[in-house]
Amino acid sequence: MALSKLDNLYRQVILDHSAHPHHHGHLQKATNEIELRNPTCGDVLQLEIALTDNKISDIAFSGDGCTISQASASMMTDAVIGKTPAEAEQMVQAFSTMVIGDRPDQDLSILGDASILKGVAQFPARIKCATLAWKALNNALTGEDGKGMAQLLTSHED
Amino acid sequence: MGKNLNDIRADFPILEQQVNDEPLVYLDNAATTQKPKAVVEALTHYYYHDNANVHRGVHTLAERATEQFEAAREKVRAFINARSTKEVLFTRGTTTSLNWIAASYGEANVNAGDEIVISYMEHHSNLVPWQQLALRKQAKLKYIKLNADGTLDMTDAAQQITDQTKIVAIAQVSNVLGVVNPVKDLAKLAHQHGAVMVVDGAQSLPNMPVDVQALDCDFLAFSGHKMMGPTGIGGLYAKEELLNAMAPVEFGGEMIDFVNLFDSSWSQLPWKFEAGTPDISGAIGLGAAIDYLNQFGMAAVHEHEQKLVDYVLPQLLAIDGLTVYGPHDPAKHTGVIAFNLDGLHPHDLATGLDMEGVAVRAGHHCAQPLMKYLQVPATARASFYIYNTKADADRLVESIVATKEFFKNGTI
């Protein structure tokens, strides 16, 4: 049955993160925050970050989205806590490269659980679901719209 | 008339393919329909044999291209029963048509304090042009409410439309709720208050007989690609006296009568509005699509769709945890069916269906205010057309159940 291919996308750990997302809610005091929308589907994601001594000391997200976008946001928050903005930016780049299927040999260990979203590359229509939270992270930290990530992803979206 | 709707699959080669190792079931017809061979061949034939620019050459090919282009206009006229081809403008599609009305008629006739009345179920293309016109003119944009079953609240319509109303703009068929709106009654109401009636026919023209004289609407916008024509071509019907009074939206070649250094005069209708080289092949392809539909007659097309709705809607409603938006009575529902499964985002549902070869839309369907009104972020949507069968409906229902089971049980 063709549905068995869904396993490549919806791994158990992804379903778990989506059903019980980590760092879901709001921070008492955020230093950086952003709301990002996916205009083609109506998904919306709010991201709040607390930066202390140039490190991400706390992070929270909220909003509406599909299994992939919610799981990706949950995994992203797990992965970036304790990182500097520069390290987080590297992770954003690694994640983007991974989900568009470029450089399948790259080392994904810095992404933690989030590396399991590699399977998204086989579902091009869902790439932007997976990247929403990471774009939000990028924009919240840089204050810019996408930077290198937007460029990298442009040809794979819309 | 006469050709059997149950035997047309062979006219659509695209349907004979496997998607994700399963036979394709195409149920995204409200977004765009597939094209029969006759339409594709009309485009090919035009480019292989007759291609030339229209209205501006004395040579034989130019004459042929012009003749076919204007013959397509006549086909559209007859299809919607306009009085004259002067009332039929070719545009890029529904969106362009509605923007032209707002930019020309709206710009000249709506002033500060006037009202524009639409509804909560409008597609963005019949919402944003009016919203922006209202902002430019300091006019008031008003929304007609919906009844609990998704039909238009006509009591509220009678209250929202007042003597201050200049434009009433409503979809004849909703692209989400699958309801048919009583645009004839709305036109009457609009006219009683001195307003014009704009009908968004994007979802109605492909599926039912539409007669602009019987509706007595002032404007009707539609897209060719939703009725088996090519993308990039559509139309705008408007009453001749309105078009005569309206200024063109675009200027350039084709639309002029005489150009002086410091002023110009305009060509006669309908060309006054059609600046530049038009989508000639698109118009010819649209004409071929109309010929194709006319083999069956629009009453038969509508009946075919209603039979499928009668068959599939009760089965969908019987799935535990599935919500159908819009009326649950098949007699009140067109072949556009929006739904959600409890606890599952429509994107995940649509990916599951895609793995089963079933193509549906998931998202806000260019109707964000309606999504807000329904209090959902998005929905899945299956939409049927003339080549769909009961077997397609069965595959939809089976795939929804299988996808639901997959997400209930986790990975296999």
Side-chain angles (χ1 to χ4, degrees), chain A residues 91-102:
Chain A
M91 294 165 75
V92 168
Q93 291 297 330
F95 186 86
S96 319
T97 311
M98 175 184 82
V99 293
I100 63 180
D102 276 5

Side-chain angles (χ1 to χ4, degrees), chain B residues 240-253:
Chain B
E240 188 177 343
E241 62 267 28
L242 292 171
L243 287 176
N244 276 327
M246 281 162 59
V249 180
E250 294 177 329
F251 305 91

